[in-house]
Amino acid sequence: NAGVTQTPKFRILKIGQSMTLQCTQDMNHNYMYWYRQDPGMGLKLIYYSVGAGITDKGEVPNGYNVSRSTTEDFPLRLELAAPSQTSVYFCASTRTRGGDEQFFGPGTRLTVL
Amino acid sequence: AQSVTQPDIHITVSEGASLELRCNYSYGATPYLFWYVQSPGQGLQLLLKYFSGDTLVQGIKGFEAEFKRSQSSFNLRKPSVHWSDAAEYFCAVLEGNDMRFGAGTRLTVKP
């Protein structure tokens, strides 16, 4: 199993550009999450999904969108990139909600200039 | 909403010394508590977790943590630190579908 994979690893965007961060897991997990990690701030939840077709906002959803058309994929969309979205983005998945270990991808480092 | 506090931003210990990383949370019920470790440039890896039962939980890599309800704490410990333990450590609390993370403690290990 590859676990949780994320692409790209690095990306530089100009203000106002859009992009999609890809996340795929091959563990047949129902729950998937997107976090952003800023220096000294820990991880903040952006969006999560409890299964295909079901998504919900986390702590910091503004400026982002998600979709979940399959169990495996959970892409994160930035429509109008802003410097405040410069961060490291992590995707994670877990089998159930009840405290199962979250498996994390390697992260995407995004810079918006 | 609950919160997670890791009071120490950065800790330096000598190799072979003991380690304790602090974590405090605010939550009404008995929470699900976690410690994760992040090596540079990597994602997070679970060290251990607590849901209920024995308040002292054992994790991977020789780590343990103790849940103290009276102090709202879940401190991480290791009796003898190895150079490879240098990393960032995150305490986290699960509320519903939302995992809340502390800001992290960066551990430096001196030779």
Side-chain angles (χ1 to χ4, degrees):
Chain A
N1 286 351
V4 180
T5 57
Q6 292 182 237
T7 56
K9 291 192 187 317
F10 305 94
R11 184 72 184 270
I12 298 175
L13 284 182
K14 295 181 180 178
I15 294 172
Q17 286 186 319
S18 62
M19 77 165 292
T20 299
L21 282 67
Q22 301 292 344
C23 175
T24 300
Q25 54 90 9
D26 62 359
M27 297 172 283
N28 201 31
H29 285 172
N30 288 321
Y31 290 74
M32 296 187 74
Y33 309 82
W34 273 107
Y35 295 92
R36 59 176 289 170
Q37 183 180 31
D38 301 311
M41 299 293 290
L43 279 74
K44 302 287 187 182
L45 183 65
I46 305 171
Y47 271 95
Y48 66 94
S49 170
V50 302
I54 307 170
T55 63
D56 206 349
K57 296 177 181 178
E59 189 179 358
V60 290
N62 291 345
Y64 307 94
N65 279 301
V66 294
S67 60
R68 183 97 182 269
S69 57
T70 67
T71 299
E72 295 77 21
D73 300 306
F74 189 41
L76 178 71
R77 179 85 177 160
L78 283 71
E79 292 293 350
L80 292 170
S84 61
Q85 293 177 305
T86 294
S87 188
V88 181
Y89 292 83
F90 288 99
C91 180
S93 74
T94 186
R95 186 173 55 87
T96 68
R97 180 196 79 79
D100 274 354
E101 173 183 359
Q102 289 197 8
F103 291 85
F104 284 81
T108 294
R109 183 174 295 275
L110 175 67
T111 302
V112 182
L113 301 173
Chain B
Q2 63 190 22
S3 65
V4 182
T5 303
Q6 293 181 247
D8 305 304
I9 296 172
H10 185 202
I11 284 182
T12 300
V13 300
S14 297
E15 190 168 14
S18 64
L19 171 70
E20 182 168 30
L21 302 182
R22 295 183 291 165
C23 174
N24 294 96
Y25 63 91
S26 64
Y27 190 55
T30 299
Y32 290 169
L33 296 159
F34 305 80
W35 274 101
Y36 282 85
V37 61
Q38 183 182 33
S39 298
Q42 303 295 316
L44 278 68
Q45 180 187 19
L46 180 69
L47 284 175
L48 48 79
K49 59 186 178 183
Y50 172 78
F51 298 157
S52 63
D54 192 347
T55 56
L56 185 64
V57 293
Q58 303 296 322
I60 62 172
K61 305 185 181 186
F63 286 92
E64 66 178 26
E66 186 171 14
F67 170 62
K68 293 186 177 179
R69 184 191 303 277
S70 61
Q71 298 176 18
S72 296
S73 69
F74 188 56
N75 294 349
L76 182 71
R77 300 195 294 248
K78 187 169 184 177
S80 178
V81 170
H82 188 262
W83 65 266
S84 60
D85 293 324
E88 185 124 23
Y89 292 81
F90 293 93
C91 182
V93 179
L94 181 65
E95 176 186 24
N97 292 314
D98 188 356
M99 185 84 88
R100 295 291 175 119
F101 287 83
T105 297
R106 183 157 53 94
L107 174 65
T108 297
V109 180
K110 292 191 303 184

XYZ file of all heavy atoms in Angstrom, chain A residues 31 33 35 37 40-43 45 48 50 58-59 90 97-102 104-106, chain B residues 32 34 36 38 41-44 46 49 51 90 94-104:
375
model
N -12.875 8.333 6.079
C -12.659 9.691 6.538
C -11.370 10.258 5.943
O -10.317 9.630 6.020
C -12.563 9.742 8.065
C -13.872 9.475 8.753
C -14.399 8.188 8.804
C -14.591 10.500 9.353
C -15.611 7.940 9.423
C -15.791 10.260 9.981
C -16.294 8.974 10.014
O -17.490 8.728 10.625
N -9.147 14.166 5.417
C -8.990 15.494 6.007
C -7.947 16.304 5.230
O -6.994 15.737 4.706
C -8.500 15.381 7.464
C -9.300 14.451 8.332
C -9.090 13.084 8.317
C -10.275 14.946 9.192
C -9.833 12.225 9.112
C -11.012 14.102 10.006
C -10.783 12.740 9.959
O -11.517 11.898 10.763
N -5.444 19.590 6.125
C -4.920 20.501 7.133
C -3.941 21.453 6.469
O -3.306 21.129 5.469
C -4.157 19.748 8.220
C -4.957 18.807 9.067
C -5.091 17.464 8.729
C -5.568 19.256 10.235
C -5.806 16.590 9.528
C -6.283 18.393 11.048
C -6.392 17.060 10.682
O -7.110 16.213 11.477
N -0.509 23.734 7.777
C 0.425 23.882 8.876
C 1.247 25.135 8.661
O 2.005 25.235 7.693
C 1.350 22.664 8.992
C 2.302 22.742 10.170
C 3.203 21.545 10.280
O 3.570 20.917 9.283
N 3.576 21.184 11.504
N 4.796 27.475 13.914
C 4.402 27.821 15.271
C 2.913 27.738 15.539
O 2.458 28.146 16.608
N 2.144 27.224 14.573
C 0.685 27.234 14.731
C 0.095 25.840 14.775
O -1.093 25.688 14.923
C 0.035 28.004 13.573
C 0.456 29.437 13.493
S -0.136 30.393 14.878
C -1.881 30.456 14.538
N 0.893 24.815 14.647
C 0.314 23.484 14.587
C -0.496 23.297 13.315
O -0.345 24.038 12.357
N -1.356 22.331 13.318
C -2.187 22.038 12.144
C -3.597 22.560 12.371
O -4.158 22.425 13.451
C -2.259 20.533 11.885
C -1.086 19.904 11.147
C 0.126 19.797 12.038
C -1.466 18.537 10.604
N -7.505 22.390 10.716
C -8.349 21.618 9.804
C -9.064 22.551 8.834
O -9.734 23.495 9.253
C -9.355 20.811 10.602
C -10.274 19.897 9.803
C -9.474 18.783 9.128
C -11.355 19.302 10.697
N -13.071 18.382 5.852
C -13.000 16.950 6.013
C -14.156 16.290 5.286
O -15.120 16.946 4.887
C -12.977 16.546 7.491
C -14.237 16.842 8.257
C -15.237 15.879 8.398
C -14.423 18.079 8.865
C -16.388 16.143 9.098
C -15.572 18.353 9.576
C -16.555 17.391 9.707
O -17.699 17.657 10.407
N -16.519 12.508 5.351
C -16.818 11.253 6.046
C -17.175 10.139 5.070
O -17.503 9.032 5.496
C -17.937 11.438 7.088
C -17.543 12.511 8.104
C -19.254 11.771 6.424
N -14.008 22.643 8.230
C -13.267 22.555 9.463
C -13.098 23.921 10.085
O -13.989 24.775 9.975
N -11.962 24.142 10.681
C -11.719 25.375 11.427
C -11.416 26.558 10.520
O -11.795 27.693 10.815
C -10.549 25.139 12.385
C -10.286 26.225 13.391
C -9.118 25.882 14.304
O -8.538 24.785 14.181
O -8.756 26.743 15.127
N -1.379 19.318 4.420
C -1.342 17.887 4.655
C -2.731 17.289 4.466
O -3.725 17.814 4.968
C -0.863 17.563 6.069
C 0.601 17.802 6.273
C 1.036 18.973 6.874
C 1.533 16.877 5.867
C 2.390 19.211 7.075
C 2.880 17.099 6.057
C 3.305 18.270 6.663
N -14.288 7.378 12.526
C -14.158 8.606 13.299
C -13.629 8.335 14.692
O -12.941 9.159 15.267
C -15.530 9.286 13.428
C -15.499 10.575 14.218
C -16.875 10.988 14.650
N -17.323 10.229 15.816
C -16.952 10.484 17.062
N -16.119 11.455 17.322
N -17.410 9.763 18.067
N -13.933 7.157 15.202
C -13.741 6.913 16.630
C -12.314 6.827 17.114
O -11.961 5.916 17.852
N -11.490 7.753 16.736
C -10.155 7.818 17.297
C -9.138 6.928 16.620
O -8.038 6.729 17.151
N -9.473 6.366 15.482
C -8.450 5.641 14.738
C -7.301 6.570 14.362
O -7.499 7.771 14.177
C -9.036 5.056 13.453
C -9.662 3.694 13.702
O -9.546 3.174 14.817
O -10.269 3.162 12.759
N -6.141 5.990 14.206
C -4.973 6.768 13.798
C -5.228 7.436 12.460
O -5.754 6.826 11.530
C -3.767 5.854 13.672
C -2.530 6.526 13.095
C -1.368 5.576 12.925
O -1.520 4.385 13.279
O -0.315 6.017 12.436
N -4.867 8.715 12.369
C -4.899 9.414 11.094
C -3.572 9.159 10.387
O -2.499 9.353 10.960
C -5.109 10.908 11.293
C -6.513 11.249 11.757
C -6.849 12.714 11.569
O -6.114 13.479 10.964
N -8.005 13.118 12.090
N -1.074 10.321 7.518
C -0.802 11.585 6.832
C 0.004 11.364 5.560
O 0.884 10.501 5.491
C -0.021 12.527 7.751
C -0.867 13.153 8.809
C -1.187 12.467 9.964
C -1.356 14.438 8.640
C -1.975 13.050 10.952
C -2.142 15.036 9.616
C -2.446 14.335 10.771
N -0.291 12.205 4.570
C 0.545 12.278 3.401
C 1.800 13.077 3.686
O 1.938 13.653 4.766
N 2.713 13.163 2.723
C 3.994 13.849 2.932
C 3.903 15.361 2.875
O 4.860 16.040 3.229
C 4.862 13.311 1.794
C 3.893 12.965 0.721
C 2.659 12.471 1.420
N -10.573 12.038 23.354
C -9.596 11.176 22.714
C -8.328 12.008 22.554
O -8.357 13.083 21.971
C -10.087 10.741 21.330
C -11.248 9.786 21.332
C -11.919 9.490 20.155
C -11.699 9.162 22.491
C -12.986 8.608 20.125
C -12.768 8.286 22.476
C -13.398 8.010 21.292
O -14.464 7.140 21.267
N -4.060 12.305 21.616
C -3.040 11.731 20.746
C -1.732 12.503 20.895
O -1.729 13.694 21.202
C -3.461 11.825 19.267
C -4.789 11.211 18.948
C -5.960 11.901 19.205
C -4.863 9.959 18.379
C -7.193 11.348 18.901
C -6.088 9.397 18.070
C -7.249 10.089 18.331
N 1.540 12.972 18.224
C 2.125 12.704 16.926
C 3.540 13.276 16.889
O 3.844 14.270 17.569
C 1.319 13.371 15.810
C 0.046 12.661 15.421
C -1.141 12.871 16.112
C 0.031 11.773 14.348
C -2.304 12.222 15.732
C -1.135 11.129 13.964
C -2.295 11.354 14.663
O -3.442 10.706 14.288
N 6.609 14.603 14.093
C 6.871 15.015 12.717
C 8.361 15.252 12.542
O 8.921 16.165 13.155
C 6.101 16.284 12.372
C 6.259 16.726 10.928
C 5.515 18.010 10.628
O 5.382 18.887 11.477
N 5.007 18.140 9.409
N 10.383 17.749 7.082
C 9.958 17.456 5.724
C 9.019 16.275 5.587
O 8.735 15.849 4.463
N 8.534 15.773 6.701
C 7.675 14.595 6.670
C 6.281 14.915 7.175
O 6.040 15.961 7.776
C 8.272 13.490 7.550
C 9.684 13.089 7.179
C 9.745 12.448 5.804
O 8.918 11.606 5.451
N 10.706 12.862 4.999
N 5.374 13.979 6.947
C 4.050 14.080 7.547
C 4.109 13.658 8.998
O 5.176 13.387 9.552
N 2.968 13.596 9.635
C 2.901 13.243 11.053
C 2.746 11.745 11.221
O 2.070 11.075 10.432
C 1.717 13.950 11.724
C 1.940 15.390 12.164
C 2.100 16.321 10.992
C 0.802 15.834 13.064
N 1.763 8.777 14.224
C 1.175 8.587 15.538
C 2.162 7.896 16.471
O 2.725 6.854 16.138
C -0.088 7.748 15.425
C -0.820 7.467 16.725
C -1.434 8.762 17.270
C -1.904 6.404 16.534
N -1.975 6.948 21.697
C -3.299 7.551 21.843
C -3.950 7.047 23.116
O -3.628 5.959 23.619
C -4.176 7.233 20.641
C -4.393 5.748 20.409
C -5.148 5.519 19.114
C -5.319 4.019 18.847
N -5.995 3.749 17.536
N -7.918 6.670 24.861
C -9.370 6.818 24.766
C -10.019 6.640 26.126
O -10.893 7.399 26.506
C -9.958 5.780 23.812
C -9.478 5.905 22.410
C -9.522 4.836 21.548
C -8.969 7.097 21.930
C -9.077 4.950 20.241
C -8.521 7.223 20.631
C -8.576 6.135 19.788
N 3.509 16.874 18.419
C 2.209 17.520 18.484
C 1.259 16.712 19.342
O 1.101 15.498 19.151
C 1.595 17.667 17.088
C 2.333 18.611 16.190
C 3.313 18.153 15.333
C 2.052 19.967 16.218
C 4.006 19.026 14.508
C 2.730 20.853 15.406
C 3.714 20.385 14.545
N -9.352 14.895 19.841
C -10.407 14.646 18.871
C -11.754 15.077 19.437
O -12.159 14.609 20.498
C -10.453 13.167 18.508
C -11.501 12.753 17.472
C -11.194 13.387 16.124
C -11.559 11.236 17.332
N -12.420 15.978 18.722
C -13.772 16.400 19.086
C -14.669 16.164 17.882
O -14.509 16.831 16.860
C -13.791 17.881 19.459
C -15.183 18.415 19.758
C -15.220 19.916 19.981
O -14.327 20.614 19.477
O -16.148 20.389 20.653
N -15.568 15.233 17.966
C -16.401 14.894 16.821
C -15.538 14.414 15.681
O -14.776 13.464 15.823
N -15.657 15.077 14.548
C -14.811 14.745 13.408
C -13.617 15.676 13.287
O -12.907 15.651 12.288
C -15.640 14.820 12.127
C -16.678 13.725 12.070
O -16.394 12.570 12.345
N -17.901 14.092 11.724
N -13.447 16.512 14.240
C -12.442 17.574 14.181
C -11.293 17.270 15.126
O -11.477 17.222 16.338
C -13.121 18.896 14.558
C -12.227 20.088 14.342
O -11.052 19.905 13.975
O -12.708 21.216 14.543
N -10.115 17.082 14.565
C -8.909 16.884 15.378
C -8.265 18.240 15.595
O -7.941 18.941 14.635
C -7.937 15.965 14.638
C -6.711 15.617 15.450
S -7.000 14.229 16.550
C -6.584 12.882 15.446
N -8.089 18.612 16.845
C -7.449 19.883 17.175
C -6.022 19.607 17.639
O -5.806 18.794 18.545
C -8.215 20.613 18.288
C -9.605 21.046 17.872
C -9.550 22.147 16.837
N -10.868 22.506 16.330
C -11.405 23.698 16.444
N -10.746 24.668 17.056
N -12.596 23.944 15.934
N -5.085 20.302 17.033
C -3.678 20.102 17.351
C -3.139 21.262 18.174
O -3.546 22.415 18.000
C -2.851 20.004 16.073
C -3.029 18.727 15.314
C -4.094 18.552 14.442
C -2.139 17.683 15.478
C -4.270 17.369 13.751
C -2.298 16.493 14.784
C -3.355 16.331 13.916
N -2.183 20.933 19.048
C -1.416 21.981 19.691
C -0.430 22.576 18.707
O -0.274 22.092 17.584
N 0.243 23.635 19.132
C 1.171 24.338 18.252
C 2.481 23.590 18.059
O 3.271 23.940 17.185
C 1.443 25.734 18.786
N 2.713 22.582 18.871
C 3.901 21.764 18.690
C 5.040 22.151 19.622
O 5.152 23.302 20.064
